[in-house]
mmCIF file of all heavy atoms in Angstrom:
data_model
loop_
_atom_site.group_PDB
_atom_site.id
_atom_site.type_symbol
_atom_site.label_atom_id
_atom_site.label_comp_id
_atom_site.label_asym_id
_atom_site.label_seq_id
_atom_site.Cartn_x
_atom_site.Cartn_y
_atom_site.Cartn_z
ATOM 1 N N LEU N 131 -9.514 9.816 -0.289
ATOM 2 C CA LEU N 131 -10.211 10.137 0.956
ATOM 3 C C LEU N 131 -10.332 11.665 1.112
ATOM 4 O O LEU N 131 -9.374 12.388 0.849
ATOM 5 C CB LEU N 131 -9.474 9.591 2.184
ATOM 6 C CG LEU N 131 -9.097 8.126 2.150
ATOM 7 C CD1 LEU N 131 -8.259 7.760 3.388
ATOM 8 C CD2 LEU N 131 -10.338 7.241 2.095
ATOM 9 N N THR N 132 -11.509 12.129 1.498
ATOM 10 C CA THR N 132 -11.705 13.581 1.684
ATOM 11 C C THR N 132 -12.845 13.813 2.663
ATOM 12 O O THR N 132 -13.776 13.056 2.721
ATOM 13 C CB THR N 132 -11.985 14.318 0.368
ATOM 14 O OG1 THR N 132 -12.119 15.710 0.627
ATOM 15 C CG2 THR N 132 -13.278 13.818 -0.300
ATOM 16 N N ALA N 133 -12.694 14.853 3.474
ATOM 17 C CA ALA N 133 -13.763 15.219 4.396
ATOM 18 C C ALA N 133 -14.681 16.271 3.752
ATOM 19 O O ALA N 133 -15.908 16.086 3.801
ATOM 20 C CB ALA N 133 -13.181 15.781 5.698
ATOM 21 N N PRO N 134 -14.168 17.331 3.105
ATOM 22 C CA PRO N 134 -15.102 18.307 2.506
ATOM 23 C C PRO N 134 -15.843 17.707 1.325
ATOM 24 O O PRO N 134 -15.262 16.933 0.573
ATOM 25 C CB PRO N 134 -14.187 19.456 2.048
ATOM 26 C CG PRO N 134 -12.855 19.190 2.633
ATOM 27 C CD PRO N 134 -12.773 17.758 3.004
ATOM 28 N N ALA N 135 -17.077 18.091 1.180
ATOM 29 C CA ALA N 135 -17.875 17.608 0.047
ATOM 30 C C ALA N 135 -17.543 18.410 -1.236
ATOM 31 O O ALA N 135 -17.896 17.991 -2.325
ATOM 32 C CB ALA N 135 -19.364 17.757 0.334
ATOM 33 N N GLU N 136 -16.831 19.529 -1.085
ATOM 34 C CA GLU N 136 -16.480 20.301 -2.256
ATOM 35 C C GLU N 136 -15.137 21.000 -1.996
ATOM 36 O O GLU N 136 -14.743 21.164 -0.861
ATOM 37 C CB GLU N 136 -17.536 21.313 -2.670
ATOM 38 C CG GLU N 136 -17.859 22.342 -1.630
ATOM 39 C CD GLU N 136 -18.887 21.901 -0.621
ATOM 40 O OE1 GLU N 136 -19.772 21.145 -0.955
ATOM 41 O OE2 GLU N 136 -18.786 22.360 0.538
ATOM 42 N N ARG N 137 -14.516 21.457 -3.059
ATOM 43 C CA ARG N 137 -13.276 22.219 -2.941
ATOM 44 C C ARG N 137 -13.570 23.638 -2.620
ATOM 45 O O ARG N 137 -14.627 24.177 -2.934
ATOM 46 C CB ARG N 137 -12.498 22.115 -4.261
ATOM 47 C CG ARG N 137 -11.893 20.766 -4.566
ATOM 48 C CD ARG N 137 -11.355 20.714 -5.993
ATOM 49 N NE ARG N 137 -10.512 21.829 -6.306
ATOM 50 C CZ ARG N 137 -9.175 21.808 -6.274
ATOM 51 N NH1 ARG N 137 -8.550 20.687 -5.916
ATOM 52 N NH2 ARG N 137 -8.463 22.862 -6.587
ATOM 53 N N GLY N 138 -12.566 24.336 -2.022
ATOM 54 C CA GLY N 138 -12.751 25.741 -1.687
ATOM 55 C C GLY N 138 -12.876 26.632 -2.928
ATOM 56 O O GLY N 138 -13.488 27.709 -2.821
ATOM 57 N N ASP N 139 -12.342 26.203 -4.055
ATOM 58 C CA ASP N 139 -12.417 27.029 -5.265
ATOM 59 C C ASP N 139 -13.645 26.741 -6.087
ATOM 60 O O ASP N 139 -13.803 27.266 -7.232
ATOM 61 C CB ASP N 139 -11.146 26.850 -6.117
ATOM 62 C CG ASP N 139 -10.902 25.401 -6.512
ATOM 63 O OD1 ASP N 139 -11.813 24.565 -6.302
ATOM 64 O OD2 ASP N 139 -9.827 25.121 -7.011
ATOM 65 N N GLY N 140 -14.532 25.857 -5.548
ATOM 66 C CA GLY N 140 -15.799 25.605 -6.275
ATOM 67 C C GLY N 140 -15.716 24.505 -7.321
ATOM 68 O O GLY N 140 -16.735 24.117 -7.880
ATOM 69 N N LEU N 141 -14.510 24.014 -7.623
ATOM 70 C CA LEU N 141 -14.401 22.948 -8.635
ATOM 71 C C LEU N 141 -14.977 21.674 -8.059
ATOM 72 O O LEU N 141 -14.832 21.376 -6.886
ATOM 73 C CB LEU N 141 -12.941 22.764 -9.035
ATOM 74 C CG LEU N 141 -12.281 23.928 -9.772
ATOM 75 C CD1 LEU N 141 -10.811 23.631 -10.018
ATOM 76 C CD2 LEU N 141 -13.002 24.220 -11.096
ATOM 77 N N PRO N 142 -15.625 20.852 -8.857
ATOM 78 C CA PRO N 142 -16.272 19.632 -8.358
ATOM 79 C C PRO N 142 -15.263 18.534 -8.034
ATOM 80 O O PRO N 142 -14.200 18.457 -8.633
ATOM 81 C CB PRO N 142 -17.190 19.222 -9.514
ATOM 82 C CG PRO N 142 -16.530 19.773 -10.726
ATOM 83 C CD PRO N 142 -15.864 21.044 -10.323
ATOM 84 N N LEU N 143 -15.644 17.663 -7.091
ATOM 85 C CA LEU N 143 -14.846 16.481 -6.802
ATOM 86 C C LEU N 143 -15.390 15.347 -7.660
ATOM 87 O O LEU N 143 -15.944 14.373 -7.217
ATOM 88 C CB LEU N 143 -14.978 16.061 -5.325
ATOM 89 C CG LEU N 143 -14.413 17.065 -4.331
ATOM 90 C CD1 LEU N 143 -14.626 16.527 -2.908
ATOM 91 C CD2 LEU N 143 -12.920 17.250 -4.573
ATOM 92 N N SER N 144 -15.195 15.505 -8.947
ATOM 93 C CA SER N 144 -15.729 14.499 -9.901
ATOM 94 C C SER N 144 -14.872 14.484 -11.138
ATOM 95 O O SER N 144 -13.825 15.115 -11.201
ATOM 96 C CB SER N 144 -17.208 14.832 -10.259
ATOM 97 O OG SER N 144 -17.268 16.103 -10.855
ATOM 98 N N GLY N 145 -15.324 13.772 -12.139
ATOM 99 C CA GLY N 145 -14.603 13.706 -13.410
ATOM 100 C C GLY N 145 -13.553 12.641 -13.404
ATOM 101 O O GLY N 145 -13.755 11.564 -12.812
ATOM 102 N N ASP N 146 -12.434 12.906 -14.080
ATOM 103 C CA ASP N 146 -11.373 11.908 -14.239
ATOM 104 C C ASP N 146 -10.770 11.436 -12.950
ATOM 105 O O ASP N 146 -10.310 10.311 -12.819
ATOM 106 C CB ASP N 146 -10.277 12.410 -15.179
ATOM 107 C CG ASP N 146 -10.789 12.610 -16.584
ATOM 108 O OD1 ASP N 146 -11.833 12.016 -16.914
ATOM 109 O OD2 ASP N 146 -10.175 13.386 -17.345
ATOM 110 N N LEU N 147 -10.693 12.332 -11.931
ATOM 111 C CA LEU N 147 -10.004 12.000 -10.696
ATOM 112 C C LEU N 147 -10.886 11.218 -9.742
ATOM 113 O O LEU N 147 -10.417 10.414 -8.967
ATOM 114 C CB LEU N 147 -9.484 13.255 -10.016
ATOM 115 C CG LEU N 147 -8.612 14.181 -10.871
ATOM 116 C CD1 LEU N 147 -8.040 15.296 -10.026
ATOM 117 C CD2 LEU N 147 -7.482 13.396 -11.540
ATOM 118 N N PHE N 148 -12.178 11.495 -9.743
ATOM 119 C CA PHE N 148 -13.111 10.835 -8.824
ATOM 120 C C PHE N 148 -14.196 10.172 -9.662
ATOM 121 O O PHE N 148 -15.082 10.829 -10.222
ATOM 122 C CB PHE N 148 -13.735 11.872 -7.869
ATOM 123 C CG PHE N 148 -12.781 12.510 -6.903
ATOM 124 C CD1 PHE N 148 -12.002 13.570 -7.304
ATOM 125 C CD2 PHE N 148 -12.629 12.010 -5.634
ATOM 126 C CE1 PHE N 148 -11.104 14.143 -6.431
ATOM 127 C CE2 PHE N 148 -11.739 12.562 -4.757
ATOM 128 C CZ PHE N 148 -10.960 13.630 -5.150
ATOM 129 N N ARG N 149 -14.133 8.856 -9.717
ATOM 130 C CA ARG N 149 -15.052 8.122 -10.591
ATOM 131 C C ARG N 149 -16.303 7.659 -9.841
ATOM 132 O O ARG N 149 -17.151 6.988 -10.406
ATOM 133 C CB ARG N 149 -14.348 6.928 -11.216
ATOM 134 C CG ARG N 149 -13.252 7.362 -12.181
ATOM 135 C CD ARG N 149 -12.598 6.200 -12.876
ATOM 136 N NE ARG N 149 -11.598 6.659 -13.817
ATOM 137 C CZ ARG N 149 -10.326 6.901 -13.515
ATOM 138 N NH1 ARG N 149 -9.909 6.753 -12.265
ATOM 139 N NH2 ARG N 149 -9.487 7.319 -14.405
ATOM 140 N N GLY N 150 -16.424 8.018 -8.611
ATOM 141 C CA GLY N 150 -17.621 7.638 -7.865
ATOM 142 C C GLY N 150 -17.310 7.641 -6.354
ATOM 143 O O GLY N 150 -16.158 7.628 -5.958
ATOM 144 N N CYS N 151 -18.361 7.659 -5.575
ATOM 145 C CA CYS N 151 -18.205 7.643 -4.119
ATOM 146 C C CYS N 151 -18.454 6.245 -3.614
ATOM 147 O O CYS N 151 -19.579 5.711 -3.743
ATOM 148 C CB CYS N 151 -19.184 8.647 -3.487
ATOM 149 S SG CYS N 151 -19.091 8.693 -1.690
#
Side-chain angles (χ1 to χ4, degrees):
L131 308 176
T132 181
E136 61 274 328
R137 288 170 51 98
D139 57 11
L141 295 176
L143 295 180
S144 60
D146 294 340
L147 306 187
F148 294 83
R149 294 183 178 87
C151 179

